Amino acid sequence: MSTHPEPTPAHTADLVVFGGTGDLSMRKLLPALYHSDREGRLSPETRVIAMSRGGLTDADFRGKVDAEVRDGFECRRVRDQVPIEDLAVWERFLARLHHVSVDVGGSDKSGWDALSGLLSGFESRDRVFYLASPPRTFGPFCRELAEAGLVTPRSRVVLEKPLGQDLPSAQAINDEVGAIFEERQIFRIDHYLGKETVQNLLVLRFANAFLEPVWNSLWIDHVQITAAETVGTPGRRGYYDHAGALRDMVQNHLLQLLTLTAMEPPARNDREAIRDEKVKVLQALRPIAGTEVDRFTVRGQYVGAGDMPGYLDEPGSTPPTEASARVETFTAIRAEIKNWRWAGVPFYLRTGKRMPYRRSEIVVQFKDVPHSIFPGGTPNRLVLRLQPEEGIELHIMAKEPGAGEVTLKPVPMSLSFGETFTARVPEAYERLLSDVLAGNPTLFMRRDEVEAAWRWIDPILDAWKADPALPEPYPAGTTGPAGAHELLGRSGRAWHEEDM
Ligand code: BG6
């Protein structure tokens, strides 16, 4: 079986990446585009135009990518070990790259003229403007694009997270961008939606008959959604002090996983039908506000342990401030969805830096059998692993072989994507970039979705801000503060790893 799927016909596009020499571009976007090129998913004429303040020529930029992204490939964990010796494809990819220096908001308009020069004559192509830059630049960049006459009906704009700090700032960004681009042209990215298992969740739920009848409060006790990371935040204080785990991970990634787990079956596999159902879940989240915030949320900050520094001691370009002391690097939340399907089923969300393992997963914990005739049984559990090893596990009860008394043992029925499918599992950004180039917004967040998420997050942020207490400390390399365990322990439950 070929490891390269048949290429689908690709649109010719000009992809303009603002922030094109930055970390995201070098680590994620360019490698993803290279893979797409290698697998025949980029049309031969598609160009990639990086914009930055760097003052680079095309040759400089190609040299930088050649030196840095190739190194990047070697140290990134790419499943099929990119055959970088395949130099012909690499050279072809490098030849697609261009660089334009731009001064957004400045008086020097020569960068915009240079971009116009590159794009003119190609108005019939799809144009994708990818804003891999801080959100404060989104509005000014779109305005300048429009002033330079570069926005065509076939243009799209891609917005990287974070989309604002709270609901009002997200609305302001949406208004600014919406003044130039129509909603159908705006692609708000959440890279979790590009992960293979996340898309598989929809297939698992809606292409198999056996799950749907038990996917509700009659059969499910609770759901846990975890995104645990071993990394800390070295060098990111400037960003992280103003973000924290709630804005950085929960408002987007974890809530997206929650909506896909909890949504009603859409009538069609189409962009609006799926997003309509996701928004309904966000709108049905029970608000957590005021004094309830203490009961239903936990925030923590890692402190030094062994040779791992604490958050406040992480090396960084800026020294810690009062904001640093108050920022959460861990959070756990008990969420509830107020609808018929999910009434009474808690959804526990948890994310943290410097945890003992890197693991993102959705755990669906079923209730116990209504009447047990065997002692020692444990309820079924379905685990959807997003990373590190994408897969699905259903834990069922089985009889241990033996002629004596019946002894039960929970055993996993596992599907490992890596072992089952020979095709390379693409990185999230590969899938999402292909969708942007093809103009398919299904896996991107609509304005109402992003704003509904902020509407639920804002009261939690407000209560934390008003609370003089600092986040609970937890030693680096552990599973978070005691409060996170109490959050489940109060109802006799435990996080997945505690009862493995
Ligand atoms: C990003 C966050 O959106 O997601 C980072 O800003 C986080 O703080 C990252 O590390 C996690 O992504 P992944 O794909 O490694 O789980």
Side-chain angles (χ1 to χ4, degrees), residues 141-161:
F141 184 83
C142 292
R143 262 198 315 280
E144 297 217 33
L145 269 182
E147 279 162 21
L150 296 175
V151 180
T152 58
R154 296 184 70 96
S155 291
R156 284 163 222 138
V157 65
V158 185
L159 308 180
E160 259 298 334
K161 67 167 269 276

Side-chain angles (χ1 to χ4, degrees), residues 17-258:
V17 185
F18 182 56
T21 57
D23 189 54
L24 181 76
S25 178
M26 301 300 274
R27 277 193 318 116
K28 299 283 187 188
L29 304 183
L30 290 166
L33 288 164
Y34 166 69
H35 278 288
S36 298
D37 193 354
R38 196 175 132 244
E39 295 181 358
R41 282 182 278 111
L42 280 192
S43 109
E45 289 86 35
T46 286
R47 296 181 296 177
V48 179
I49 303 167
M51 297 185 80
S52 76
R53 278 189 294 198
L56 306 178
T57 62
D58 286 355
D60 294 338
F61 179 55
R62 288 172 192 166
K64 180 177 166 68
V65 172
D66 197 27
E68 294 179 23
V69 174
R70 270 170 75 174
D71 287 343
F73 277 135
E74 273 147 34
C75 48
R76 278 176 62 226
R77 195 185 138 273
V78 178
R79 193 172 293 261
D80 68 348
Q81 296 302 307
V82 175
I84 205 62
E85 65 280 0
D86 189 354
L87 277 175
V89 181
W90 181 246
E91 295 296 339
R92 178 179 80 199
F93 177 68
L94 287 181
R96 296 175 185 276
L97 307 183
H98 300 266
H99 184 274
V100 170
S101 298
V102 71
D103 177 22
V104 175
S107 53
D108 178 4
K109 299 291 175 204
S110 58
W112 297 105
D113 296 341
L115 185 62
S116 290
L118 262 179
L119 295 178
S120 84
F122 297 104
E123 286 73 12
S124 61
R125 286 185 178 185
D126 288 2
R127 259 179 209 176
V128 176
F129 298 104
Y130 194 119
L131 308 193
S133 54
R136 67 185 143 71
T137 63
F138 293 173
F141 184 83
C142 292
R143 262 198 315 280
E144 297 217 33
L145 269 182
E147 279 162 21
L150 296 175
V151 180
T152 58
R154 296 184 70 96
S155 291
R156 284 163 222 138
V157 65
V158 185
L159 308 180
E160 259 298 334
K161 67 167 269 276
L163 213 90
Q165 279 280 307
D166 51 18
L167 179 61
S169 56
Q171 284 169 327
I173 293 171
N174 283 329
D175 286 345
E176 282 182 300
V177 177
I180 310 294
F181 290 93
E182 292 171 28
E183 181 62 25
R184 67 171 178 86
Q185 298 174 292
I186 305 174
F187 286 58
R188 298 176 189 83
I189 220 162
D190 182 320
H191 79 276
Y192 265 54
L193 292 179
K195 288 184 192 276
E196 202 58 29
T197 324
V198 176
Q199 293 160 56
N200 233 307
L201 176 55
L202 290 183
V203 176
L204 182 76
R205 285 196 57 201
F206 303 131
N208 294 294
F210 75 99
L211 270 181
E212 191 50 29
V214 296
W215 207 253
N216 56 50
S217 61
L218 280 182
W219 296 96
I220 293 177
D221 177 74
H222 72 278
V223 176
Q224 300 182 11
I225 301 179
T226 293
E229 297 182 275
T230 48
V231 291
T233 53
R236 290 184 84 197
R237 185 173 296 123
Y239 159 73
Y240 205 84
D241 271 3
H242 302 285
L246 190 63
R247 291 187 177 99
D248 187 45
M249 295 291 288
V250 179
Q251 189 273 342
N252 32 71
H253 307 327
L254 268 64
L255 284 184
Q256 286 296 318
L257 299 183
L258 176 141

